[in-house]
């Protein structure tokens, strides 16, 4: 390799590295708002992976594009290219590069995962410290019983055992480690709040401990992430993150309310469908009746 | 290869009755691997069109946020059948057909090791195809539990009938597994036992290496899937409780059975496509495959690693931390042998005398899209990130880049590349390029938007969605319709050139490989005398002969 080609290569690679870094920085804006401590960790990891990915994709595509544009055989040229069959040094280098990248990305992911430690102590074996994140942001882990998240076809129900409150909207105090216990009455469901970047399948017959730390006040979408049958798409509700004070006010107000049937999209759609049956008559699963709750959310409420 | 070698080949009249020049042969129980190959390919393509039509309806539904085009039950049936048809009725049969057609020719064999078994394995395809399609007609409609049929959803049977869509689905999938096992036994045996004299392992084309590696996966993986399907069938039909939590069963156990096969299955799909890339690039860039032994062996390495990664589909299931971390690392490792291949292709193309024929365009387009899928794949392997995006559209975008971008584009590259050999006619380049342009644009418009949607948190398998997702969904739908359209120039091209296209020479690409030494289309039993291979498969630019004919050798 001549000095000149070496210089060009280094210049190209550094230019590409800058562009890739910039794309990596952009990646934060592709995500929903960062409403939990975990979201910050995941977004940093994602940004790092996007930068590496951009470098690889742009580098390889650029090389191919250059070949296609400038190394075409002219119309009547039927000769062959150089009979290069291999180059041991090159081959070792490009086996080593992905290996190094993999170890790097893997280690970073491992550290991120450890710091998140979203599977609560009741759930399973731990690699990290359970309240690592909570300590970092200086939150005091509450000693109260975990909020019970009950999922079914198709409604979310949140039960606060300390106050005996049932709600179809999940309320959480900001900057405190949220402790949940996930259960399902029928099939697999998935607890998923995109703004928190956390997700956990809920398996019938098990109670899964789950935790994370909301850090930003607001109203966020909670979605079912594990396909659960006919009205799966409607199985959504809201999480409200608020100051400790308004959280306690909300709990007290809800506790004073009687249980009333909540709004339920699946149930409404089902009733409308059996009144005018679909011509194809493909089978639908009967949704559970609308849950009874002290406090219920409405689909028309806004979210971020 | 010298011209003398070419002209020394026997004349290709077809002395055997029913040689494949008679189209009626394709509708019989033929044991000729070439007939069976084309039978597979055409059947598969027919199902590809059906699966594609279902996808068009889905994209039609998703063009607006509300569930307003079809009922939710219909949407759920559509994505279940779309996924199932695309995997079990299009990709696997297509690739089996390609392997069937090419492997014996490429290794200098007269046929597969077990020709009758081969025909039986093929004829099972239309049989389970009919069973699967029949589920559209049974009361209650087809299965609505998604292509992975997780219990307990797949065990819910609101019609109460014994014969229901889910049952037919399970029977079809189990039969598909059996058919694929038969095919795999045959292909692996053929490659191991029937190679021509002189065709050592490191003179074998990469396509053959790749097919062998893929079929080995079928041998160890399919029994798990088939067992899982049969157990689920028992749960559904006779009320056992292997997987039913209501009776004490474990639904997560099913996920292990299922993914133990179904992750490696993506390599059953992609490895032969890697093989196609490795055949197409050297010919149309007129250079030897760079780092051939590395590319060849990396297929087997992928096969080995693919057996220890299945839990990455279950990062969000009830999976303990240590398992998440272990499978995160093993999954990422797969990118090493894969990276070796990608670099080798780039180095093959680099500095070549590139001819942008239709197969070359499809291979290049497929490579670029595969690259994109590869980097999002690494991201998905990273457990903390996967927890955010799994079961969202990010995953749907990732696997369609693999499966449409790389596998379907690679399949088209293969069809165009070997079309002259298979039919004896040239296709029309202009239509081919139009087909490529529509496919490449359509695929990227369709599948790129799925990534931002997934990052924003749009779940997959939903007939309706929140309005904030509308923008990217409209773009995806437009791309989807372009993709639907793109099949028209292809069908037109294939049909018209098959009937009246220009006659193809034996070796229109001046390619090196045993299949190009015989006439187009090849005669019954391929080789009048089995050639003796004297050099490697990619000697572009080095003027080595590939074969010595046995006869001329004997005459020495
Ligand atoms: C015109 C091209 C295509 C379009 C527009 C399309 C569109 C879609 C859509 C909208 C979904 C639903 C995603 C979800 O909600 O999870 C889907 C799922 C799927 N597609 Fe495609 N697709 C196309 C081609 C293909 C091909 C060629 C294959 C395979 C060879 C394929 C395999 C699958 C699979 C396995 C699923 C998952 C089904 C499930 O969730 O059960 N698709 N596709
Ligand atoms: Cu996988």
């Amino acid at each position: 390799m001549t000095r000149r080609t070496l210089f060009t290569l280094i210049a190209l690679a550094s230019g590409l590295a800058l562009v890739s870094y910039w794309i990596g920085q952009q990646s934060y804006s592709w995500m929903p708002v960062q409403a939990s401590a975990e979201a910050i960790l995941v977004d940093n990891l994602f940004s790092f992976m996007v930068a590496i990915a951009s470098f690889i994709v742009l580098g390889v595509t650029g090389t191919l594009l250059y070949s296609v544009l400038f190394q075409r055989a002219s119309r009547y040229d039927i000769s062959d290219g150089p009979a290069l069959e291999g180059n041991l040094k090159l081959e070792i280098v490009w086996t080593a590069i992905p290996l190094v990248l993999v170890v790097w990305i893997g280690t970073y992911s491992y550290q991120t995962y450890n710091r998140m430690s979203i599977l609560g102590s009741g759930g399973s074996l731990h690699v990290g410290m359970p309240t690592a994140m909570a300590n970092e942001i200086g939150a005091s882990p509450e000693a109260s019983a975990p909020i019970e998240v009950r999922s079914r076809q198709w409604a979310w129900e949140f039960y606060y055992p300390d106050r005996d409150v049932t709600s179809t909207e999940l309320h959480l105090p900001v900057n405190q480690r949220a402790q949940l216990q996930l259960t399902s009455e029928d099939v697999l469901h998935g607890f998923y709040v995109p703004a928190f970047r956390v997700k956990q399948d809920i398996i019938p017959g098990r109670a899964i401990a789950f935790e994370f730390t909301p850090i930003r006040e607001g109203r966020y979408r909670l979605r079912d992430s594990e396909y659960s049958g006919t009205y799966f798409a409607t199985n959504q509700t809201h999480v409200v993150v608020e100051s400790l004070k308004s959280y306690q006010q909300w709990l007290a107000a809800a506790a004073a309310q009687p249980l009333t049937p909540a709004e339920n999209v699946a149930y409404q759609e089902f009733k409308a469908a059996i009144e005018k049956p679909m011509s194809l008559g493909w089978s639908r699963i009967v949704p559970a009746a609308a849950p009874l709750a002290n406090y219920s959310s409405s689909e028309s409420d806004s979210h971020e | 290869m010298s011209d003398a070698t070419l002209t020394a080949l026997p004349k290709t009249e077809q002395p055997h009755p029913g040689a494949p020049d008679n189209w009626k042969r394709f509708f019989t129980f033929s044991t000729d691997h070439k007939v069976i190959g084309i039978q597979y390919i055409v059947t598969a393509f027919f199902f590809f069109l059906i699966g594609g039509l279902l996808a068009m309806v889905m994209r039609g539904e998703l063009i607006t946020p509300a569930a307003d085009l079809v009922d939710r039950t219909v949407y759920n049936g559509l994505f279940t059948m779309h996924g199932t048809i695309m995997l079990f009725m299009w990709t696997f049969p297509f690739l089996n057909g390609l392997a069937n057609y090419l492997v014996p020719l490429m290794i200098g064999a007269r046929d597969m090791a077990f020709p009758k078994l081969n025909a039986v394995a093929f004829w099972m395809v239309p049989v389970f195809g009919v069973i699967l399609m029949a589920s559209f007609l049974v009361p209650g409609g087809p299965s609505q539990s998604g292509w992975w049929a997780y219990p307990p959803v797949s065990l819910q049977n609101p019609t109460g009938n014994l014969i229901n869509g889910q049952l037919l689905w399970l029977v079809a999938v189990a039969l598909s597994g059996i058919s694929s096992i038969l095919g795999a036994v045959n292909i692996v045996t053929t490659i191991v036992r029937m190679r021509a004299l002189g065709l050592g392992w490191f003179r074998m084309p990469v396509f053959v290496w790749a097919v062998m590696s893929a079929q080995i996966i079928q041998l160890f993986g399919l029994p798990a899937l088939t067992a899982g399907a049969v157990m689920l069938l028992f749960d559904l039909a006779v009320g056992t409780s292997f997987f039913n939590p209501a009776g004490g069963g474990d639904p997560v156990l099913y996920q292990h059975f299922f993914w133990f096969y179904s992750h490696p299955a993506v390599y059953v799909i992609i490895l032969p496509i890697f093989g196609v890339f490795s055949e197409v690039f050297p010919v149309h860039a007129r250079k030897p495959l760079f780092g051939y032994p590395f590319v060849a062996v990396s297929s087997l390495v992928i096969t080995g690693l693919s057996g220890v990664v299945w839990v990455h589909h279950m990062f969000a299931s009830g999976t303990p931390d240590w398992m998440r971390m272990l499978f995160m690392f093993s999954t990422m490792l797969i990118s090493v042998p894969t990276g070796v291949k990608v670099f080798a292709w780039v180095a093959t193309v680099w500095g070549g005398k590139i001819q942008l024929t239709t197969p070359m365009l499809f291979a290049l387009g497929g490579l670029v899209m595969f690259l994109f899928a590869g980097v999002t794949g690494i991201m998905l392997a990273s457990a903390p990130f996967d927890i955010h995006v799994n079961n969202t559209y990010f995953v749907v975008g990732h696997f369609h880049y693999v499966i449409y971008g790389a596998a379907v584009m690679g399949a088209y590259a293969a069809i165009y590349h070997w079309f002259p050999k298979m039919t004896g006619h040239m296709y029309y380049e202009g239509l081919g390029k139009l087909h490529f342009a529509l496919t490449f644009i359509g695929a990227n418009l369709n599948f790129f938007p799925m990534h931002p949607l997934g990052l924003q948190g749009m779940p997959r398998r939903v007939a309706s969605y929140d309005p904030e997702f509308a923008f990217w969904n409209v773009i995806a739908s437009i791309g989807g319709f372009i993709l639907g359209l793109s099949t028209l120039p292809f069908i037109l091209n294939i049909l018209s050139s098959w009937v009246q296209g220009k006659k193809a020479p034996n070796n229109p690409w001046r390619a090196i490989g045993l299949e190009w030494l015989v006439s187009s289309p090849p005669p019954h039993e391929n080789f009048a005398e089995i050639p003796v291979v004297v050099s490697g498969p990619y000697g572009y630019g080095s003027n080595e002969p590939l074969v010595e004919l046995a006869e001329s050798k004997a005459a020495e």
Side-chain angles (χ1 to χ4, degrees):
Chain A
M1 199 184 304
T2 67
R3 185 165 283 186
R4 208 190 133 122
T5 45
L6 191 70
F7 182 76
T8 331
L9 270 184
I10 291 175
L12 278 175
S14 358
L16 195 55
L18 277 178
V19 173
S20 308
Y21 176 78
W22 179 80
I23 299 178
Q25 291 305 305
Q26 298 310 300
S27 75
Y28 288 97
S29 67
W30 309 338
M31 289 287 207
V33 289
Q34 293 180 328
S36 75
E38 288 72 17
I40 298 175
L41 295 173
V42 170
D43 290 4
N44 290 343
L45 173 66
F46 179 57
S47 167
F48 164 77
M49 293 193 296
V50 167
I52 291 186
S54 309
F55 191 86
I56 298 175
V57 169
L58 293 177
V60 176
T61 322
T63 315
L64 280 175
L65 208 63
Y66 181 89
S67 299
V68 168
L69 291 178
F70 301 110
Q71 301 177 335
R72 294 257 287 283
S74 55
R75 202 178 160 117
Y76 298 105
D77 180 359
I78 56 158
S79 64
D80 286 350
L84 287 173
E85 289 188 6
N87 176 334
L88 198 62
K89 241 193 261 164
L90 253 181
E91 267 138 71
I92 290 171
V93 169
W94 73 42
T95 313
I97 291 177
L99 200 64
V100 170
L101 285 182
V102 160
V103 173
W104 194 12
I105 298 175
T107 315
Y108 192 167
S109 304
Y110 178 81
Q111 288 164 343
T112 303
Y113 184 76
N114 253 352
R115 291 179 64 197
M116 288 168 70
S117 101
I118 46 182
L119 280 186
S121 40
S124 54
L125 213 73
H126 258 279
V127 246
M129 298 163 293
T131 48
M133 271 321 295
N135 293 341
E136 260 166 58
I137 57 159
S140 58
E142 278 282 277
S144 55
I147 302 167
E148 290 174 23
V149 177
R150 301 167 178 169
S151 56
R152 66 173 72 106
Q153 285 169 322
W154 287 268
W156 292 98
E157 214 183 281
F158 308 98
Y159 180 67
Y160 295 75
D162 294 341
R163 303 294 298 260
D164 192 26
V165 162
T166 303
S167 162
T168 60
E169 186 172 78
L170 178 61
H171 281 241
L172 297 171
V174 72
N175 289 339
Q176 286 200 12
R177 193 91 179 144
Q179 313 271 352
L180 308 180
Q181 187 186 325
L182 314 176
T183 54
S184 161
E185 284 176 13
D186 34 47
V187 300
L188 300 173
H189 295 277
F191 178 94
Y192 178 37
V193 185
F196 297 166
R197 317 283 189 275
V198 295
K199 179 184 287 134
Q200 174 61 44
D201 283 8
I202 310 175
I203 297 154
R206 291 193 206 173
I208 298 174
F210 194 60
E211 49 183 70
F212 53 88
T213 312
I215 56 166
R216 182 179 179 280
E217 292 181 26
R219 177 189 294 275
Y220 310 104
R221 205 68 165 143
L222 184 159
R223 301 197 170 91
D224 190 352
S225 60
E226 189 65 81
Y227 176 66
S228 58
T230 311
Y231 296 99
F232 166 65
T234 66
N235 202 17
Q236 312 198 18
T237 184
H238 293 110
V239 188
V240 174
V241 179
E242 55 200 347
S243 68
L244 187 58
K245 197 162 149 243
S246 42
Y247 168 72
Q248 275 157 352
Q249 279 167 358
W250 172 82
L251 258 186
Q257 293 294 317
L259 290 171
T260 41
E263 188 180 303
N264 185 281
V265 183
Y267 196 61
Q268 285 157 7
E269 275 197 25
F270 175 73
K271 282 198 298 191
I274 44 175
E275 273 158 29
K276 69 172 174 46
M278 271 293 298
S279 51
L280 284 176
W282 288 3
S283 57
R284 68 185 70 239
I285 297 160
V286 183
L292 296 176
N294 304 91
Y295 183 91
S296 46
S297 75
S298 165
E299 274 302 285
S300 53
D301 289 344
S302 66
H303 64 267
E304 286 184 69
Chain B
M1 142 198 35
S2 67
D3 280 349
T5 322
L6 279 179
T7 45
L9 275 168
K11 287 272 172 297
T12 54
E13 316 97 318
Q14 297 167 354
H16 301 271
D21 56 347
N22 178 352
W23 62 269
K24 287 187 191 127
R25 284 296 276 167
F26 295 113
F27 293 90
T28 61
F29 188 88
S30 168
T31 54
D32 183 328
H33 73 96
K34 297 183 292 297
V35 176
I36 295 176
I38 289 177
Q39 286 174 325
Y40 262 120
I41 291 175
V42 173
T43 312
F45 192 76
F46 168 77
F47 281 105
F48 180 49
L49 292 180
I50 296 183
L53 285 178
L54 303 186
M56 295 300 105
V57 182
M58 282 150 72
R59 285 295 358 153
E61 168 65 79
L62 294 174
I63 208 162
T64 57
D68 42 12
L69 182 66
V70 292
D71 187 72
R72 291 188 192 279
T73 55
V74 176
Y75 186 84
N76 296 342
L78 285 179
F79 72 68
T80 301
M81 293 302 275
H82 163 76
T84 309
I85 290 171
M86 285 301 192
L87 294 172
F88 294 103
M89 305 304 306
W90 149 246
T91 336
F92 290 144
F94 173 82
L95 294 167
N96 268 340
L98 201 65
N100 246 297
Y101 194 95
L102 291 174
V103 164
L105 283 167
M106 285 181 159
I107 64 172
R110 293 211 154 96
D111 204 326
M112 298 284 268
F114 312 112
K116 285 228 176 66
L117 194 70
N118 205 15
V120 171
F122 164 72
W123 282 103
M124 287 178 75
V125 176
V127 171
F128 62 73
V130 168
I131 294 178
L132 190 65
M133 301 316 276
S135 67
F136 279 110
L137 305 175
V138 296
S143 162
Q144 292 179 32
S145 60
W147 87 277
W148 59 50
Y150 277 2
V153 169
S154 55
L155 295 175
Q156 293 188 316
N157 176 10
T159 61
N161 298 338
L162 177 65
I163 303 296
N164 57 56
Q166 188 66 49
L167 184 96
L168 295 183
W169 187 94
L170 284 165
V171 171
V173 167
L175 287 178
S176 150
I178 294 167
S179 156
S180 295
I181 291 175
L182 299 185
V185 169
N186 207 348
I187 294 174
V188 174
T189 313
T190 306
I191 296 173
V192 174
R193 300 298 303 272
M194 315 248 308
R195 282 168 300 152
L197 204 62
L199 191 69
W201 291 109
F202 286 98
R203 283 184 185 165
M204 221 162 65
V206 168
F207 181 78
V208 182
W209 273 97
V211 165
M212 185 177 74
S213 311
Q215 297 297 328
I216 291 173
I217 294 178
Q218 298 284 48
L219 289 180
F220 75 73
L222 271 169
L225 176 81
T226 313
V230 171
M231 287 158 82
L232 193 63
L233 191 83
F234 274 102
D235 277 8
L236 179 71
V238 294
T240 53
S241 302
F242 293 111
F243 306 129
N244 193 350
D250 182 5
V252 178
L253 179 64
Y254 174 85
Q255 300 180 8
H256 284 287
F257 269 105
F258 181 83
W259 289 114
F260 182 75
Y261 170 67
S262 293
H263 179 82
V266 307
Y267 298 103
V268 177
I269 295 170
I270 207 67
L271 279 171
I273 297 295
F274 289 167
V276 169
F277 288 166
S278 306
E279 301 305 316
V280 170
F281 287 131
V283 180
H284 300 267
R286 309 232 50 88
K287 280 181 64 198
L289 181 67
F290 196 89
Y292 159 66
F294 283 75
V295 181
V297 172
S298 64
S299 302
L300 276 179
V301 176
I302 291 178
T303 298
L305 286 174
S306 75
V308 288
V309 299
W310 75 94
V311 176
H312 64 218
H313 293 276
M314 300 162 62
F315 280 154
S317 304
T319 307
D321 290 331
W322 66 267
M323 230 185 192
R324 287 176 169 177
M325 293 300 107
L326 187 71
F327 281 90
M328 173 172 89
F329 277 103
S330 63
T331 302
M332 286 186 179
L333 266 189
I334 294 235
S335 61
V336 177
T338 314
V340 166
K341 285 182 194 279
V342 170
F343 285 126
W345 295 322
V346 175
T348 304
V349 172
W350 180 259
K353 301 246 176 181
I354 297 171
Q355 292 157 347
L356 285 187
T357 54
T358 305
M360 183 65 163
L361 283 172
F362 271 104
L364 285 166
L367 174 54
V368 170
M369 290 189 74
F370 177 71
L371 193 67
F372 190 80
V375 299
T376 54
I378 302 253
M379 294 176 185
L380 289 171
S382 167
F385 176 70
D386 178 72
I387 286 172
H388 172 44
V389 292
N390 87 47
N391 276 332
T392 70
Y393 258 88
F394 191 89
V395 174
V396 184
H398 159 77
F399 76 67
H400 280 89
Y401 262 76
V402 177
I403 228 162
Y404 208 111
V408 176
M409 305 262 280
Y412 281 133
I415 293 176
Y416 285 107
H417 185 72
W418 281 290
F419 183 81
K421 179 55 60 188
M422 292 177 175
T423 64
H425 297 279
M426 296 306 287
Y427 61 84
Y428 301 110
E429 236 2 295
L431 276 176
K433 291 196 167 127
L434 174 67
H435 175 211
F436 169 74
L438 288 177
T439 309
F440 191 70
I441 294 169
N444 283 292
L445 277 184
N446 191 169
F447 303 124
F448 179 79
M450 295 181 174
H451 297 88
L453 284 174
L455 291 173
Q456 285 293 320
M458 174 168 161
R460 64 189 293 193
R461 298 178 168 169
V462 289
S464 60
Y465 50 81
D466 288 338
E468 68 252 35
F469 301 128
F471 172 74
W472 287 112
N473 271 302
V474 171
I475 309 231
S477 289
I478 294 172
F481 300 141
I482 296 179
L483 270 185
L485 205 68
S486 76
T487 50
L488 298 182
F490 174 72
I491 297 170
L492 182 69
N493 199 352
I494 294 304
L495 289 185
S496 61
S497 47
W498 205 333
V499 176
Q500 53 166 34
K502 210 174 82 199
K503 261 221 94 18
N506 291 352
N507 190 356
W509 312 121
R510 299 179 299 117
I512 295 172
L514 293 180
E515 79 270 31
W516 302 105
L517 296 178
V518 296
S519 64
S520 303
H524 191 67
E525 305 220 311
N526 305 341
F527 303 93
E529 49 180 320
I530 300 294
V532 177
V533 179
V534 297
S535 71
Y538 302 106
Y540 297 95
S542 58
N543 278 326
E544 287 175 303
L546 176 67
V547 299
E548 249 170 42
L549 287 180
E551 204 175 63
S552 51
K553 198 171 165 88
E556 277 170 14

